[in-house]
Amino acid sequence: MLVSFPGQNNMLVLRSFMILFFSCITIKINLCFPSIPSSLKTLSIDGHFDFEQVEHAAKDFGNRYSYIPLAVLYPKSVSDIATTVNHVWQIGGGSELKIAARGHGHSLQGQAQAHRGVVINMESLQGHKMQVHTGNFPYVDVSGGELWINILRESLKHGLAPKSWTDYLHLTVGGTLSNAGISGQAFRHGPQISNVYQLEVVTGKGEVVNCSEKQNSDLFHSVLGGLGQFGIITRARISLEPAPEMVKWIRMVYTDFATFTRDQEKLISGKSTFDYVEGFVIINRTGLLNNWRSSFNPQDPLQASQFKSDGRTLFCLELAKYFNHEDMVLVNQEIKTSLSQLNHIPSTLFISEVPYMEFLDRVHISEIKLRSRGLWEVPHPWLNLFIPKSKIHSFAQEVFGNILTDTSSGPILIYPVNKSKWDNRTSVVIPEEDVFYLVAFLSSAVPSSTGNDGLEQILIRNKRILDFCEIAGLGVKQYLPHFSTQGEWKSHFGPHWEAFTRRKSTYDPSAILAPGQRIFQKLIAYS
């Protein structure tokens, strides 16, 4: 005779329930997820999906986040992208499938990744051959997956070039236009998103839409600086200008921050002699000027050799003047006159003369060196901030005076831009003042290091900077923003949040696109 105890019965019931529960989950997973790749396999496209070799799409320049997709799409045509997006949209809440467009993989925090979703390799898009159009208003039509370096090479064949750049040219058009795209030319021409005539966009419904300031203008302005939330840029018409042959590339040093910023602000106001204005911060570095000698010539070699940094925090002003050979005499006179009005340390003036292409592609040379030393594919916990002009001194006093006291773990850029060159109809968020600064902490973390150059310490430092900005009420906005909660995103967009969410519901109502930004969650219908 079998004897059972009440506790045993309860355990048997619980065990049976758990087995049934997990069996149901397994059945549900097996029913849902395998059907997604098979449904993608049935799509009629010119390119192809890869369901096996997908790990590379879970990696980016930031080297900190890795979300593995179910599939990578290699489109040959815009129709391939539209078909795929429309298919996922039609499935709706019946699946968790989402889509991310990936360019050259230069995102910092997984923004171009799609966990268990589809990543579109935009560089394989072959639907648009680059076409340069000359005339009174020259432009170039390019694929959204085209690299800016290739646009430069092609447009130079016609004596033309885009007006506004990023410091690094091995980025895709769609990637930079989804953010803003800024460099030292932004004070004059605005960011790259201010130099676009027309876009072709695949919306979150899979619709292919041509848009410009006059045609579908709301979508046009939504997508520019829209972080990929409203559509995938598949083609862009970029404004061009006559390209120079050469560049006078100039550097000089300041010890006083107020003098440094005053000169920067003077240079971006009115009719500036220079075509490019940037600056960077040098913390506790020795032998700095000697390091420049390989590519820059000191105006006064003797005085330059006697300059001592003494561990001080220094501020370097970097300028560029474009010119053609026949204008050499006039350009030299203009530069001399302009420099005489600045208040840098005279012995630290260094000048170089380089071809236009070499100047614009200068960061790639550094990349090659870092790759050779195994220091390129490391974590890059970058922090990019827009800071109102009225708050830049408070920011510098605390950050450069207290928070950053040791040698920095990467370049620190700092330069002002004019708000008047930015279009407030786009989705990008900037401070309200007429002049604001970009301050970029471009850190590289040394693998396995537990010191100041280690990932953990850099992240702590970044948080200290952000916390100070918040507590001091500096009105700072992140560029290439990253937040963990929708509440933080709402705070970031401020009064623009309502328009941003309206645009999302209009152009990507199922929240399919750019899940790596972690702004909106796709609503899943569980049954």
Side-chain angles (χ1 to χ4, degrees):
M1 179 173 144
L2 293 173
V3 179
S4 64
F5 297 96
Q8 264 186 320
N9 284 335
N10 291 342
M11 288 299 294
L12 286 169
V13 170
L14 181 60
R15 187 179 300 167
S16 300
F17 174 76
M18 294 299 287
I19 291 170
L20 180 62
F21 177 74
F22 285 112
S23 297
C24 289
I25 288 180
T26 303
I27 291 168
K28 189 175 183 73
I29 290 172
N30 288 338
L31 283 173
C32 291
F33 290 118
S35 66
I36 294 168
S38 64
S39 72
L40 293 175
K41 289 175 184 175
T42 64
L43 295 181
S44 177
I45 59 174
D46 301 316
H48 71 280
F49 285 98
D50 190 337
F51 300 98
E52 303 296 330
Q53 306 298 321
V54 297
E55 289 79 9
H56 68 280
K59 188 176 181 182
D60 59 27
F61 180 71
N63 256 309
R64 293 178 53 212
Y65 295 86
S66 181
Y67 300 105
I68 297 177
L70 286 173
V72 176
L73 170 64
Y74 294 87
K76 283 189 177 178
S77 64
V78 174
S79 176
D80 289 354
I81 297 174
T83 297
T84 302
V85 175
N86 181 259
H87 175 72
V88 175
W89 181 62
Q90 294 287 353
I91 295 173
S95 86
E96 296 183 5
L97 207 59
K98 297 185 271 295
I99 295 174
R102 174 187 169 91
H104 206 51
H106 208 76
S107 296
L108 295 171
Q109 309 195 69
Q111 288 95 333
Q113 298 178 29
H115 179 57
R116 297 191 63 83
V118 177
V119 171
I120 301 175
N121 186 316
M122 294 301 293
E123 289 186 280
S124 74
L125 182 60
Q126 301 171 3
H128 295 292
K129 190 175 185 301
M130 198 186 314
Q131 292 184 316
V132 176
H133 298 259
T134 58
N136 292 332
F137 301 98
Y139 62 86
V140 58
D141 280 327
V142 297
S143 163
E146 192 61 78
L147 296 179
W148 285 97
I149 183 64
N150 294 335
I151 298 172
L152 176 61
R153 289 173 180 142
E154 185 63 27
S155 59
L156 282 178
K157 295 176 184 176
H158 303 266
L160 299 166
K163 302 171 183 176
S164 190
W165 297 97
T166 51
D167 288 328
Y168 180 63
L169 304 189
H170 296 251
L171 306 170
T172 57
V173 168
T176 65
L177 295 185
S178 293
N179 289 284
I182 56 174
S183 183
Q185 304 87 0
F187 79 92
R188 170 170 289 168
H189 297 293
Q192 291 179 321
I193 58 173
S194 293
N195 295 276
V196 181
Y197 290 144
Q198 192 180 91
L199 297 172
E200 178 186 75
V201 175
V202 176
T203 70
K205 300 176 184 178
E207 300 167 333
V208 182
V209 183
N210 286 308
C211 53
S212 65
E213 283 208 359
K214 295 182 178 178
Q215 178 186 16
N216 300 308
S217 61
D218 185 64
L219 177 61
F220 180 71
H221 294 118
S222 297
V223 169
L224 294 172
L227 305 175
Q229 292 300 306
F230 314 112
I232 297 170
I233 298 172
T234 52
R235 182 179 61 81
R237 179 168 291 180
I238 310 294
S239 173
L240 301 177
E241 67 177 357
E245 297 168 347
M246 301 293 292
V247 174
K248 287 278 190 181
W249 188 3
I250 303 164
R251 285 179 178 174
M252 62 201 78
V253 170
Y254 294 73
T255 54
D256 179 63
F257 185 75
T259 306
F260 168 68
T261 52
R262 194 181 307 119
D263 277 1
Q264 279 194 319
E265 289 162 18
K266 184 190 302 180
L267 287 164
I268 71 162
S269 64
K271 189 174 180 180
S272 176
T273 297
F274 297 98
D275 299 285
Y276 162 101
V277 176
E278 284 198 12
F280 52 93
V281 184
I282 305 147
I283 298 175
N284 197 21
R285 289 260 302 275
T286 56
L288 174 77
L289 302 188
N290 285 331
N291 291 339
W292 290 354
R293 288 173 184 270
S294 59
S295 52
F296 289 85
N297 296 315
Q299 181 132 316
D300 188 333
L302 178 61
Q303 288 294 317
S305 67
Q306 296 175 350
F307 176 78
K308 296 287 186 290
S309 63
D310 297 327
R312 292 171 294 179
T313 295
L314 303 174
F315 307 96
C316 173
L317 179 59
E318 186 170 56
L319 307 171
K321 173 67 176 174
Y322 304 158
F323 70 99
N324 295 322
H325 290 291
E326 62 268 24
D327 303 321
M328 175 76 81
V329 175
L330 177 61
V331 164
N332 284 340
Q333 185 55 51
E334 285 181 353
I335 290 173
K336 184 177 180 181
T337 300
S338 295
L339 293 180
S340 69
Q341 298 170 18
L342 302 180
N343 296 289
H344 58 282
I345 301 169
S347 63
T348 66
L349 179 62
F350 280 64
I351 300 179
S352 179
E353 192 174 297
V354 297
Y356 182 58
M357 166 74 89
E358 184 179 324
F359 170 71
L360 290 180
D361 202 29
R362 61 198 179 279
V363 177
H364 186 54
I365 298 169
S366 299
E367 175 189 354
I368 293 169
K369 292 177 182 177
L370 289 170
R371 282 189 183 278
S372 69
R373 294 159 54 195
L375 295 175
W376 184 256
E377 295 187 2
V378 298
H380 294 98
W382 287 8
L383 178 63
N384 297 271
L385 304 173
F386 288 141
I387 301 173
K389 170 188 166 182
S390 66
K391 305 295 184 182
I392 194 65
H393 295 282
S394 299
F395 177 88
Q397 184 176 3
E398 175 63 20
V399 175
F400 305 139
N402 294 323
I403 296 177
L404 297 175
T405 55
D406 202 352
T407 306
S408 57
S409 49
I412 302 173
L413 304 184
I414 178 168
Y415 57 90
V417 292
N418 295 309
K419 186 186 177 189
S420 62
K421 302 298 182 179
W422 297 62
D423 191 329
N424 61 11
R425 294 171 295 179
T426 66
S427 293
V428 71
V429 180
I430 58 176
E432 292 300 319
E433 295 187 8
D434 291 341
V435 172
F436 58 92
Y437 278 77
L438 170 77
V439 182
F441 302 90
L442 309 182
S443 302
S444 298
V446 176
S448 303
S449 172
T450 56
N452 288 332
D453 54 1
L455 178 60
E456 186 177 349
Q457 288 303 312
I458 296 171
L459 291 175
I460 290 172
R461 205 157 55 232
N462 286 351
K463 187 176 186 307
R464 283 186 65 193
I465 293 170
L466 289 172
D467 287 347
F468 163 70
C469 293
E470 180 71 22
I471 294 168
L474 300 188
V476 168
K477 294 296 181 182
Q478 283 194 39
Y479 176 57
L480 310 178
H482 169 77
F483 300 103
S484 302
T485 67
Q486 193 175 80
E488 290 172 311
W489 279 110
K490 191 173 181 179
S491 176
H492 169 74
F493 283 102
H496 305 288
W497 175 248
E498 188 177 336
F500 196 80
T501 55
R502 175 190 60 76
R503 287 170 164 179
K504 184 68 172 179
S505 63
T506 301
Y507 302 116
D508 182 24
S510 295
I512 292 168
L513 302 176
Q517 296 283 2
R518 298 184 276 285
I519 304 174
F520 300 100
Q521 293 295 320
K522 182 179 181 181
L523 294 177
I524 311 300
Y526 292 105
S527 57

